[in-house]
C-alpha cells in the first residue's frame, strides 16, 4: 500500500468514526426526547462540541459533559445514564473476562452444586467488601454471560439476555451476612463492639449490592440492544422520569420519587396560574377610551385601554378516592394541591372509599411523612362503612347530602378516581346535583380511556355528566391543572 493509499484509508476511517459518533449522539437525543426531555438543536450542537473537545478517552468525563449539555434538571439524570449506556456502551460483544465462563447449555443438574455460580459469588462478595467498582463491572459481565442467556435462537427475537434471570441465580442480597462478617473480622481489633456502626455498615453494603444489581441490569440491556437495536431498547427498557411514571403502575420507590417532585411542580403551576390571573385582570379592550387616547397619536390606537377586572381567587374542592387501587394518585394530587393552596381563596378536601369524610385538617397539619398520607386518612377519617370496596354512588350521594354547602358558584370541583364502582349504582343524580351547584366539575381518571368501558368501570356514565380527563402521570396532571382550573 502506498503512502497516498494509507492516507486515504486513514481519512476514510476518520469519516466512518465521525459518522458513527454522529449517529450515536442523534440516537441518544431521540431516545431522550422520547422520554419527554426537552432537547433542541442548540443543545444537540453543544453536545457535539463537547464530544469534539473531550474525545472518548475518559468515558465518565464524556458522560458528565454530555449531561451538562443536554439536561436541565437533576431529575433527568437517571434516564440519561441508562440511555447513555446504550448508545455509548463500555464495550461491544462479550467482555474479555467473561469469555469461556460457561456455555449457555451447560447447566448443573438439579440438586447438585454449581461450581461456576459458587466461585462467582465468592468473587462478587470480595469485590463488594472492597467496594471495587471496576471489578464489580467486570463481574456483572461474567454473571450475565453465565446465567443471563435465554431462548434457543430458533425464531428471530426469541433469544436475549435477562438481568432478572441472572440476579435470580446469583441472589447477591444473600451475601450481606458474609460480607459483614468478613469486614467485622478485619476491624475487630480497632473497634470491638460497634453496634451503631454495624447498622451503618449494613446499609452501606445494601447500597453496594443495589449498585451491583444496576450494573447487571445495564449489562443485560447493552447486550439486548446489540441484538435488537439501541433505540428500540431505549424506548422500552429505560425507566421514565418521575413525572412520566404511570400512577397506577408506580412502585413504592417510584411513588417516593414522585412525592419529591411535588413542591417543584407546585411552584411551576403557581407561576402559570399567577400569569393567567394577571392576564385575566386586564379584561377586554374598552373601545371608547382606546379611541379617545388615539386622538393624541393621529388616530392610531398605540395605547389600548382595557376594562379592568378584579377577579377573586377561585375556591377548590377535591373529592378523592383513597382506596388501594388509586391511593398513590390521590395522595400525590392532594399533596400538590396543598402546596398550591395560596393560589385559591379556599381549599377543602374530601376523601372516600364508600363513605365521604372531610380531611382538610389532616393535610393542613403538614405531617412530616407524606408517604403515609393515605394510610392516615384511612385510619383517622370515616371513609369506609361495612366493607372496604369502592362505592362511588354511595360516596357521591353522601357528599351531596352532607357536604354540598362546600360547593358554590365560585367553586371548581376535582373528582379523583378510576370510577370502578364494583357493579354498584353509580348514582348519577348526586353527581348532577354537585355539577349544578359548582362553577366547574372535572373528573381526573388515572386509567387510559381504552379501559373506561371495561369491567366494573362506570367511567363512561360519569363522563356523560361531567368532563372526564385521563390523567396517568404527574406531567399530565400538571398540564390539566394549569389549563382547567379557573383564575
Amino acid at each position: 500500500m502506498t503512502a497516498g493509499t494509507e492516507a486515504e484509508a486513514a481519512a476514510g476511517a476518520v469519516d466512518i468514526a465521525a459518522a458513527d459518533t454522529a449517529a450515536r449522539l442523534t440516537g441518544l437525543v431521540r431516545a431522550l426526547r422520547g422520554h419527554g426531555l426537552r432537547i433542541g438543536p442548540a443543545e444537540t450542537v453543544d453536545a457535539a462540541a463537547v464530544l469534539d473537545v473531550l474525545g472518548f478517552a475518559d468515558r465518565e468525563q464524556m458522560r458528565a459533559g454530555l449531561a451538562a449539555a443536554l439536561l436541565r434538571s437533576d431529575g433527568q439524570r437517571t434516564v440519561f445514564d441508562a440511555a447513555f449506556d446504550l448508545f455509548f456502551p463500555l464495550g461491544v460483544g462479550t467482555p474479555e473476562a467473561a469469555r469461556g465462563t460457561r456455555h449457555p447449555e451447560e447447566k448443573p443438574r438439579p440438586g447438585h452444586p454449581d461450581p461456576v455460580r459458587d466461585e462467582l459469588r465468592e468473587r462478587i462478595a470480595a469485590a463488594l467488601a472492597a467496594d471495587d467498582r471496576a471489578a464489580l463491572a467486570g463481574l456483572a459481565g461474567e454473571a450475565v454471560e453465565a446465567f443471563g442467556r435465554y431462548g434457543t435462537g430458533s425464531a428471530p427475537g426469541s433469544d436475549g439476555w435477562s438481568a432478572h434471570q441472572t440476579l435470580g441465580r446469583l441472589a447477591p442480597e444473600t451475601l450481606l451476612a458474609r460480607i459483614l462478617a468478613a469486614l467485622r473480622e478485619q476491624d475487630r481489633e480497632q473497634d470491638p463492639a460497634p453496634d451503631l456502626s454495624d447498622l451503618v455498615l449494613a446499609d452501606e453494603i445494601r447500597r453496594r449490592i443495589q449498585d451491583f444489581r444496576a450494573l447487571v441490569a445495564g449489562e443485560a440491556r447493552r447486550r439486548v440492544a446489540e441484538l435488537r437495536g439501541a433505540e428500540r431498547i431505549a424506548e422500552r427498557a429505560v425507566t421514565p422520569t418521575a413525572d412520566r411514571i404511570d400512577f397506577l403502575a408506580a412502585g413504592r420507590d417510584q411513588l417516593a420519587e414522585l412525592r419529591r417532585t411535588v413542591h417543584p411542580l407546585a411552584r411551576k403551576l403557581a407561576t402559570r396560574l399567577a400569569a393567567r390571573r394577571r392576564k385575566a385582570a386586564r379584561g377586554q379592550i374598552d373601545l371608547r377610551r382606546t379611541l379617545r387616547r388615539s386622538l393624541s397619536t393621529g388616530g392610531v390606537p398605540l395605547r389600548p385601554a382595557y376594562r379592568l377586572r378584579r377577579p377573586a381567587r377561585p375556591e377548590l374542592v377535591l373529592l378523592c378516592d383513597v382506596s388501594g387501587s388509586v391511593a398513590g394518585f390521590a395522595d400525590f394530587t392532594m399533596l400538590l394541591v396543598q402546596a398550591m393552596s395560596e393560589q385559591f381563596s379556599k381549599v377543602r378536601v374530601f376523601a372516600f372509599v364508600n363513605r365521604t369524610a372531610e380531611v382538610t385538617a389532616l393535610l393542613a397539619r403538614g405531617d412530616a411523612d407524606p408517604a403515609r398520607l393515605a394510610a392516615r386518612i384511612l385510619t383517622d377519617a370515616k371513609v369506609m362503612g361495612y366493607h372496604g370496596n369502592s362505592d362511588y354512588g354511595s360516596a357521591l350521594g353522601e357528599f351531596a347530602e352532607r357536604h354540598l354547602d362546600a360547593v358554590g358558584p365560585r367553586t371548581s370541583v376535582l373528582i379523583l378516581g378510576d370510577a370502578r364502582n364494583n357493579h354498584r349504582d353509580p348514582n348519577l343524580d348526586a353527581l348532577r346535583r354537585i355539577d349544578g351547584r359548582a362553577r366547574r366539575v372535572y373528573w381526573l381518571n388515572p386509567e387510559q380511556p381504552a379501559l373506561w368501558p371495561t369491567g366494573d368501570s362506570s367511567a363512561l356514565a360519569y363522563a356523560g355528566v361531567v368532563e372526564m380527563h385521563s390523567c396517568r402521570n404527574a406531567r399530565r396532571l400538571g398540564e390539566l391543572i394549569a389549563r382547567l382550573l379557573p383564575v
Side-chain angles (χ1 to χ4, degrees):
M1 182 181 289
T2 64
T5 306
E6 291 178 356
E8 290 173 2
V14 170
D15 290 341
I16 292 171
D20 182 63
T21 300
R24 289 178 182 278
L25 178 59
T26 54
L28 173 64
V29 169
R30 280 195 298 269
L32 295 176
R33 286 174 178 168
H35 283 279
L37 277 65
R38 296 181 179 179
I39 301 174
E43 289 85 356
T44 307
V45 171
D46 290 343
V50 166
L51 288 178
D52 186 49
V53 171
L54 297 180
F56 298 89
D58 189 331
R59 182 169 176 267
E60 291 308 310
Q61 188 179 57
M62 179 176 66
R63 181 198 299 268
L66 288 178
L70 295 174
L71 305 186
R72 301 187 182 186
S73 69
D74 291 339
Q76 300 170 340
R77 186 60 190 259
T78 302
V79 173
F80 170 82
D81 283 339
F84 175 86
D85 288 338
L86 292 175
F87 289 93
F88 295 92
L90 186 59
V92 177
T94 303
E96 186 68 30
R99 291 176 184 171
T101 301
R102 166 185 283 173
H103 190 276
E105 296 181 359
E106 294 177 9
K107 297 180 180 179
R109 289 178 293 172
H112 287 68
D114 185 347
V116 173
R117 173 180 176 273
D118 294 342
E119 188 266 342
L120 191 54
R121 277 170 56 87
E122 289 290 341
R123 289 195 285 141
I124 291 171
L128 288 170
D131 197 17
D132 187 342
R133 302 192 179 187
L136 288 171
L139 289 168
E142 292 187 47
V144 172
E145 176 69 18
F147 305 112
R149 187 70 179 255
Y150 66 87
T152 61
S154 59
S158 65
D159 54 359
W161 303 91
S162 169
H164 179 75
Q165 179 174 299
T166 303
L167 294 169
R169 293 292 305 278
L170 287 177
E173 59 277 358
T174 62
L175 297 173
L176 176 63
R178 183 187 305 180
I179 298 170
L180 282 174
L183 292 176
R184 284 197 202 101
E185 185 67 26
Q186 294 175 7
D187 298 338
R188 182 171 295 172
E189 295 181 359
Q190 301 161 350
D191 196 353
D195 293 340
L196 179 59
S197 64
D198 276 0
L199 295 175
V200 174
L201 184 59
D203 288 340
E204 171 63 16
I205 298 302
R206 289 189 186 95
R207 182 195 63 77
R208 295 178 191 177
I209 291 173
Q210 191 63 31
D211 289 345
F212 176 71
R213 294 176 67 91
L215 288 172
V216 171
E219 175 66 14
R221 276 199 304 268
R222 179 188 70 78
R223 295 195 183 199
V224 175
E226 289 181 4
L227 290 174
R228 302 178 187 174
E231 293 199 24
R232 180 181 178 187
I233 301 306
E235 178 185 353
R236 299 185 179 186
V238 173
T239 303
T241 54
D243 63 343
R244 295 173 69 90
I245 295 173
D246 195 319
F247 286 120
L248 299 185
R252 184 175 60 183
D253 293 340
Q254 292 174 320
L255 286 175
E257 179 66 25
L258 265 177
R259 294 185 189 99
R260 286 192 284 271
T261 68
V262 163
H263 289 286
L265 179 58
R267 287 194 297 270
K268 184 185 297 185
L269 294 179
T271 301
R272 292 181 184 176
L273 291 177
R276 285 180 57 200
R277 187 173 292 114
R278 286 194 300 270
K279 184 177 179 180
R282 296 175 63 183
Q284 296 179 340
I285 290 180
D286 187 327
L287 185 59
R288 179 177 295 180
R289 290 174 58 206
T290 299
L291 292 176
R292 186 177 298 169
R293 283 184 181 181
S294 69
L295 294 178
S296 62
T297 57
V300 180
L302 296 179
R303 294 184 301 126
Y306 295 89
R307 297 186 179 94
L308 297 180
R309 297 175 57 229
R310 296 289 186 269
R313 294 192 177 191
E315 299 174 358
L316 183 64
V317 167
L318 285 185
L319 188 55
C320 312
D321 180 2
V322 292
S323 61
S325 59
V326 291
F329 169 50
D331 183 1
F332 180 82
T333 308
M334 285 188 285
L335 291 171
L336 178 63
V337 168
Q338 179 198 24
M340 294 176 57
S341 58
E342 293 182 357
Q343 299 301 312
F344 307 97
S345 61
K346 184 186 296 185
V347 176
R348 296 181 68 176
V349 182
F350 297 84
F352 69 88
V353 175
N354 46 63
R355 294 189 59 188
T356 303
E358 184 168 5
V359 295
T360 308
L362 286 177
L363 269 74
R365 288 209 298 262
D367 194 292
D369 184 13
R372 293 185 53 81
L373 176 59
R376 292 200 313 274
I377 290 174
L378 291 174
T379 302
D380 299 345
K382 296 181 180 179
V383 295
M384 286 189 290
Y386 60 90
H387 62 84
N389 299 323
S390 296
D391 186 342
Y392 283 79
S394 296
L396 291 171
E398 186 170 0
F399 180 85
E401 291 295 331
R402 298 179 54 193
H403 305 290
L404 202 58
D405 59 334
V407 180
R410 290 170 45 199
T411 305
S412 291
V413 178
L414 289 183
I415 303 175
L416 314 176
D418 57 7
R420 295 209 167 267
N421 203 31
N422 293 292
H423 301 290
R424 295 183 171 87
D425 177 14
N427 199 354
L428 299 181
D429 289 338
L431 184 58
R432 292 190 186 98
R433 288 179 61 191
I434 299 169
D435 183 49
R437 189 176 175 92
R439 179 178 180 179
R440 289 285 189 275
V441 177
Y442 300 109
W443 193 305
L444 306 185
N445 192 327
E447 288 191 337
Q448 55 184 315
L451 297 177
W452 293 358
T454 64
D456 59 352
S457 175
S458 300
L460 294 183
Y462 290 130
V465 179
V466 299
E467 281 189 47
M468 182 173 289
H469 299 270
S470 179
C471 184
R472 301 179 60 190
N473 53 51
R475 172 170 293 196
R476 176 62 173 164
L477 176 62
E479 292 171 353
L480 288 173
I481 289 179
R483 179 167 61 89
L484 296 178
L485 292 185
V487 295

